[in-house]
Amino acid sequence: MKIFAANWKLQKSPKEAREFFTELLGGANRPILSKKDRRLIIFPSSPCLEAASDLLGASPVWWGAQNCYSEGKGAFTGEISAQIVKDLGGQVILLGHSERRVLFNEGNEFIAKKVGYVQSLGLIPMLCFGETLSEREGGKTFSVIGSQLKEGLKLADRSKQILLAYEPVWAIGTGKVASLEQVQEAHQQIYQILSELGFNSQVPILYGGSVKPENAKELISIPHVDGFLIGGASLETKSFLAIADA
Ligand code: PEP
């Protein structure tokens, strides 16, 4: 099973989201959506979650929020409740995206709490991690990835579903895709780290960072690349579907 997840960040109004979903479903008979060997996931901005619930609810496409708080209810102004996402029918929550880590100072400990909380609700966390350019240039890629995984998965239930997205920070939104060798090496290492941490060998490891229809075919054929997390190229149904069809 290959997984193709769209991270819209703060793009699209609810009206535009509805248009996208209607086009994506293509009259409910777009064959790629019901292929057993692939899963499409959309992470719209929070004001568009209701549109996702309305239009994707009865479809094979999964959806969810781009972040959440580590509790579902209470005095947490401005936060996103995974419980509300669950009530709306969503299945997945994106966590630990590098923009959350860098711009909003989210650390592994806080992210770990969210991972545990999301799983406790019966939803699936998609944990993002990856090194910055200076960490790569300083030869620290695998120690950084190792600690992000070890600490970020501290409260994860090994018996419950989880999705991982390796995203080298320097490749996100820059057009600079990691080389096939870099992706292969990283995914092999991640696979190894997960087994050392006691995770099942079936945990999907997605790659993210400037994935486009032009590079998707080569990237998806790398061992242990189980799908993609896609930013820019997920904003148009045409490019998103072209990647999922790679
Ligand atoms: C992302 O936002 O997670 C991402 C991978 O973006 P892009 O595909 O635009 O690099």
Side-chain angles (χ1 to χ4, degrees), residues 193-209:
I193 295 169
L194 289 175
S195 100
E196 284 160 18
L197 293 175
F199 284 86
N200 177 311
S201 62
Q202 305 300 317
V203 171
I205 310 166
L206 279 59
Y207 168 78

Side-chain angles (χ1 to χ4, degrees), residues 5-9 94 97-99 128 165-169 171-176 207-212 228-234:
N7 175 16
W8 285 359
K9 315 190 185 197
L94 190 64
H97 190 277
S98 69
E99 286 150 22
C128 304
Y166 167 60
E167 298 203 299
V169 179
I172 299 177
T174 56
K176 236 191 240 176
Y207 168 78
S210 300
V211 175
K212 308 211 159 12
F228 300 129
L229 179 57
I230 311 148
S234 73

